[in-house]
Amino acid sequence: MWQFSLYVLALAVASITHLVYRWRNPKCSGKLPPGSMGWPLLGETLQFFAPNRTWDIPPFVKERMTRYGSIFRTSFVGLPVIVSTDPDLNHMVFQQEGQLFQSWYPYSLRQIYGKQNASTLHGYLHKHLKNMMLNLFGHGSLKNMLSDIESVATRNIEMWVGQGTVELKDATADMVFGLTAKKLISYDLEKSSENLRENFDAFLEGLLSVPVAIPGTTYYKCLQGRKKVMRILKNMLEERKQKPSKVKVDFFDHVLEELKHANTILTEEIALDLMFVLLFTSFETAAMGLLVAIKLLTDNPRALKELTEEHEKILKERENLEAGLTWEEYKSMTFTFQIINETVRLANIVPAIFRKALTDIKIKDYTIPSGWVVMVSLPAVHLDPVNYKDPLDFNPWRWEGMGMKGASKNFMAFGGGQRFCVGADFARLQMAVFLHCLVTKYRWQPIKGGETLRTPGLQFPNGFHVKFFKKDYKMNQDPKSELANYPKQI
């Protein structure tokens, strides 16, 4: 009997050893990139989700770049993954969408974004949704939004002046979300019985948390927030269907019009997931970008001085000082765009982009097997000293002569290729107009304490508290004396 038990034990050990060996040495028609697959099923999930409390490249990626190079393999939650910090591979991933790669996100993210969200759709359906989104984010629409964005920025900063101390993370998020939700679904917090904004609070953290849906976890809170938002959006959709508007006033109206077409490929599920993702992504980028920009400008008086001078010049050259911003004035904000580029480069608000290989792909000396996931690490590109001298320094002057900058091998803050963020220009516009209103009419003073940075991206968990003040000089006076005092004031 004991011999049989020993045989069974030996067989079990041999089977487990074989499974572990096969897990750690996956089949490949060529040479796999170096790396470790971690433990079976679990992989290196826990190491990947470890918090990063610096501006720098996440430790998980940085340590493996040092050990294995710019392309390496790993595994998250049982999925084999190739992590790319290589500009050539990243460029291929974005440019070969639908041919060698397709957009893909982990199951945990699909649960948050929605199974039918635009990020996971392909081919004609994705192209159709993208064209619909251009109704909101195209240049013509953005020009029409300019005065509204300026009014919202001025109104909010004026309110902050009266409040004394402002926790800037929540303040900027409320401001940008209010504008975005109005343009998308005509949502007004003051007139609504539901606080739609508060349900988005934990989303960014939830996207980069360990995907365990147990009450009390960040991921669980994120899923609960999604359920509440989707319920609100579905109720709004039903109300709109019963009382349709004769004139299109927001993006929801365009969606409803599309749903009426007999041959439409749009479904209510896709439409609701689309609205959810647009609400989240369009406000999160601009709100976090503004927060980081103000923090960086606070710590860099020289950059603040040059930014202020650029916007003071716009007002000096304006015939009517009471007039609002024009599109031509917005396009002339050269240094402002340099500030924005440098801010989003450092902030890395979207830390990773995922794709799936559609076939075996040869890249340099390696083969990426068909079906494997490729994770493009944006911080590794944006903070690479080969691409950017002193990459952790805030240096907007490094962007001189480069315009607003779309996507390139070394700059992918808004993605690239067919999946380049449709709302990128909307985010830039909000940031630029806000900075214009801020530096021409107001100054601010940070309140010490609570400025610790942590993952994901850059956040201020204990609050970045600021006091805002009106400037004490008129625009027709010489501002040099005021500007000279900025290092002391900020």
Side-chain angles (χ1 to χ4, degrees), residues 36-85:
S36 169
M37 303 301 288
W39 293 100
L41 300 181
L42 182 63
E44 297 186 307
T45 305
L46 299 181
Q47 297 95 315
F48 175 72
F49 284 111
N52 175 24
R53 301 182 183 279
T54 72
W55 290 87
D56 209 348
I57 300 168
F60 176 87
V61 175
K62 191 171 186 178
E63 291 168 5
R64 285 156 181 78
M65 287 174 63
T66 302
R67 190 184 310 170
Y68 304 122
S70 62
I71 304 174
F72 59 89
R73 74 175 186 266
T74 183
S75 174
F76 308 141
V77 200
L79 292 170
V81 177
I82 300 295
V83 177
S84 173
T85 68

Side-chain angles (χ1 to χ4, degrees), residues 286-356:
M288 187 60 68
L290 281 175
L291 172 65
V292 175
I294 294 174
K295 177 69 170 82
L296 292 171
L297 289 169
T298 300
D299 296 336
N300 292 269
R302 180 189 167 205
L304 176 60
K305 182 176 183 293
E306 185 164 337
L307 178 70
T308 303
E309 288 174 338
E310 176 171 88
H311 289 276
E312 300 268 0
K313 182 180 178 182
I314 289 175
L315 297 189
K316 286 180 182 178
E317 295 178 351
R318 187 182 293 170
E319 292 183 5
N320 181 6
L321 292 179
E322 301 302 320
L325 268 172
T326 66
W327 190 254
E328 290 70 26
E329 289 172 342
Y330 164 66
K331 300 294 285 186
S332 74
M333 298 176 183
T334 305
F335 189 69
T336 305
F337 297 135
Q338 293 174 210
I339 293 282
I340 293 172
N341 281 343
E342 185 70 348
T343 296
V344 296
R345 180 189 72 83
L346 281 169
N348 288 300
I349 298 166
V350 178
I353 294 176
F354 296 89
R355 296 291 187 267
K356 178 175 281 190

